[in-house]
Amino acid sequence: EAIVTSEELGQDLEHVEVLQKKFEEFQTDLAAHEERVNEVNQFAGKLIQETHPEEELIKSKQDEVNASWQRLKGLALQRQGKLFGAAEVQRFNRDVDETISWIKEKGQLMASDDFGRDLASVQALLRKHEGLERDLAALEDKVKALCAEADRLQQSHPINASQIQVKREELIASWEQIRTLAAERHARLNDSYRLQRFLADFRDLTSWVTEMKALINADELANDVAGAEALLDRHQEHKGEIDAHEDSFKSADESGQALLSAGHYASDEVKEKLTILSDERSALLELWELRRQQYEQCMDLQLFYRDTEQVDNWMSKQEAFLLNEDLGDSLDSVEALLKKHEDFEKSLSAQEEKIT
């Protein structure tokens, strides 16, 4: 009877399970004694049937034994119910504690101040965080189930209602905290991603500008017309590539302006990079225009040199014609020489227009 009237219900789930195991051993022992009680009843019945002189005493003792037996079995059922209820409450406590422990573990990860140092690291952190958010989504069902279990246990175990409510509130507080942390970290990682995306575009564009400046400055001025024409053609190709990057410059500028409008934590850095990007673009266009003028001037100069050389060659040839002492020795020969001289004067007139 001391076992079934014990008020000890355990301090935790393991303790309750130990008590349940002991009680199961008691129940086995109790079941083993039921046959003994049955034998006592059968013997008492036999004695009464034989009109034993101590019949009244026998009946009294039989009733006493049966009453004690029923009382013991009733107390055993009560004890069994109490231990079962204690196990339910302690199992709830354990599940809540394990859930809160898991939440705190994930909370430490979400409290990290590492938001990435470049685009690749930010993308890796975002993937990791999205994995944590999927874990949280799966945990939400468990939190809801534990809250529902808390409501049920408060109804079925009113004596433990206040303690169960404390656990319930502790679980809800931890859950709301981790959700807030997750949302805040996701927002910060998105901010970091947008910044690193902008900075990556900035680095790509400034690096490209440096390369283009080197290309534009690489060619030396030509020494002939063909070379000057090739320089102008190549230079125009550079302009085509510059024009093709206009959308990239525009996109980077829009991204930076969006960060500034959103009051991004790195607004000062973004503003500085936008200024540099604009200056680099302007400097590139100015350099291209400067080189265009130089190449066109080079072209004009080479054309001048070519035309001058052609005129010099022509004059050298014509000078030999004018120095000829042959004045003809007949009418036909004189007329032929006159015809050649008229052709020379026409050619001279044409060259004069070209020179002037």
Side-chain angles (χ1 to χ4, degrees), residues 288-301:
W288 185 88
E289 179 59 26
L290 175 63
R291 293 296 278 175
R292 183 192 66 79
Q293 293 175 6
Q294 290 175 343
Y295 292 153
E296 288 188 350
Q297 290 172 352
C298 176
M299 183 67 174
D300 291 341
L301 181 62

Side-chain angles (χ1 to χ4, degrees), residues 7 9 81-82 85-86 89 150 152-166:
E7 294 298 325
L9 296 174
K82 287 180 180 179
V89 173
R152 185 186 71 81
L153 291 174
Q154 284 178 300
Q155 294 293 323
S156 60
H157 304 287
I159 192 170
N160 300 111
S162 59
Q163 179 266 323
I164 293 170
Q165 182 62 20
V166 169

Side-chain angles (χ1 to χ4, degrees), residues 48 66 78 92 94 160 272 287 310 312 348:
I48 293 170
N66 285 330
Q78 291 179 20
F92 167 77
R94 182 201 62 185
N160 300 111
E272 178 187 357
L287 175 62
Q310 289 175 350
D312 282 343
L348 179 63

Side-chain angles (χ1 to χ4, degrees), residues 10 36 42 48 53 72 76 81 89 98 130 139 161-162 175 195 200 208 241 255 293 295-296 305 314 330 337 341:
R36 178 65 178 151
Q42 289 174 2
I48 293 170
L72 185 61
V89 173
E98 287 180 352
E130 287 165 358
L139 184 66
S162 59
W175 174 245
L195 173 64
W208 174 80
E241 188 173 351
S255 297
Q293 293 175 6
Y295 292 153
E296 288 188 350
Y305 285 157
W314 180 85
S330 65
L337 289 172
H341 193 75

